[in-house]
Amino acid sequence: MDKMQNRQAVSFLMKLIADRVSTLFSVHANVPITAAQGRVLMYLEACGGGPVSQRDIEQYLNVSHTTAKGLLQRLEEKGFVRTAFDASDGRVKNAYVTEKAHECREKLSEHIERITGQMFEGFEPEEEGQLFDMLKRVYSNIK
């Protein structure tokens, strides 16, 4: 395989991996949310449960305003988050996790750990670190 074919194959393989992780998450999570919605919940939990602005979610996930709005709306419909406009700045919409989200946090964490454990089976810790560093560089190059 020449250099160009190899690079295209790597790009395609990265897409296949991302698609497979999303599928594994959705099929086996035992929580009625998508992988993208799970990322929002985990981010909100990491930020102490809120308030986190919709804009911060957009930037963290690197998604459009419309995508972040849709993710939050669906999570709110399912009872995992609540949203409210900021009292000091009515232009800012904040998200907060609900008790229902807190209750499923452990399930989500365990499921994500199973998926990542499966992904890195047979890897040495040093190899995992190298892969992480290389993927950060790839992302930085195209950002």
Side-chain angles (χ1 to χ4, degrees):
M1 197 179 281
D2 69 13
K3 185 176 181 177
M4 189 166 84
Q5 289 175 320
N6 191 38
R7 286 180 172 182
Q8 290 173 351
V10 168
S11 179
F12 183 63
L13 186 57
M14 289 168 55
K15 166 84 168 94
L16 291 176
I17 291 167
D19 290 350
R20 183 65 183 146
V21 167
S22 288
T23 298
L24 286 172
F25 182 90
S26 297
V27 172
H28 301 292
N30 295 324
V31 178
I33 59 173
T34 65
Q37 292 167 0
R39 281 190 290 276
V40 171
L41 282 183
M42 297 304 284
Y43 177 62
L44 290 172
E45 287 280 355
C47 293
V52 176
S53 75
Q54 181 175 314
R55 179 79 175 134
D56 287 342
I57 293 167
E58 293 167 22
Q59 290 175 339
Y60 176 75
L61 295 176
N62 196 29
V63 297
S64 70
H65 173 79
T66 305
T67 299
K69 181 179 178 180
L71 288 166
L72 287 172
Q73 282 177 337
R74 287 185 291 286
L75 284 167
E76 194 163 27
E77 289 167 4
K78 294 174 183 180
F80 289 100
V81 301
R82 70 177 178 80
T83 60
F85 286 100
D86 192 274
S88 62
D89 186 348
R91 300 169 297 171
V92 176
K93 191 170 196 176
N94 290 321
Y96 306 81
V97 293
T98 63
E99 188 58 37
K100 183 176 181 178
H102 287 302
E103 291 169 4
C104 81
R105 184 185 192 288
E106 191 170 321
K107 268 191 207 177
L108 280 173
S109 294
E110 289 172 2
H111 186 60
I112 291 167
E113 186 58 36
R114 274 195 305 274
I115 292 171
T116 55
Q118 186 178 356
M119 284 174 50
F120 290 104
E121 190 172 316
F123 279 68
E124 296 296 328
E126 181 180 301
E127 293 173 311
E128 289 182 31
Q130 290 169 344
L131 178 59
F132 180 71
D133 290 342
M134 287 187 276
L135 290 173
K136 281 192 324 187
R137 282 177 42 204
V138 168
Y139 183 68
S140 178
N141 288 343
I142 63 172
K143 193 171 175 181

